Amino acid sequence: MSADTLEKPDTVTTDAGDHDLFSHYALKKDIERSMFEGIEITALCGKKWRPSRDFTKFPVCGTCKDIYDERYPE
């Protein structure tokens, strides 16, 4: 019997659920509409969700931030 150890690769993904660990940027009109109508909206990074949590408790999605900074440079 071999005692080899498998190492988990050190990668960062945003697959299946990882997006839920971040706050996302979306258009204000979409967020407002979602709050009133309960519809699903799309973040700048492409995540589809219904905003319902306190977004201040989570770090900002890096992809959303990069897209926002590219579209609206200071």
Side-chain angles (χ1 to χ4, degrees), residues 2-9:
S2 175
D4 292 339
T5 304
L6 296 176
E7 292 186 27
K8 183 178 179 181

Side-chain angles (χ1 to χ4, degrees), residues 26-61:
L27 297 176
K28 182 178 179 179
K29 66 178 179 134
D30 291 342
I31 295 170
E32 290 172 347
R33 188 168 173 222
S34 177
M35 292 299 184
F36 289 110
E37 299 176 20
I39 62 168
E40 190 173 79
I41 63 173
T42 304
L44 296 180
C45 68
K47 178 194 174 21
K48 293 182 185 280
W49 91 111
R50 287 179 183 89
S52 62
R53 301 181 299 175
D54 180 4
F55 62 89
T56 62
K57 294 182 181 181
F58 300 92
V60 173
C61 168

Side-chain angles (χ1 to χ4, degrees), residues 4-25:
D4 292 339
T5 304
L6 296 176
E7 292 186 27
K8 183 178 179 181
D10 192 20
T11 59
V12 176
T13 63
T14 55
D15 295 335
D18 288 348
H19 281 288
D20 294 333
L21 302 175
F22 299 100
S23 293
H24 294 275
Y25 291 166

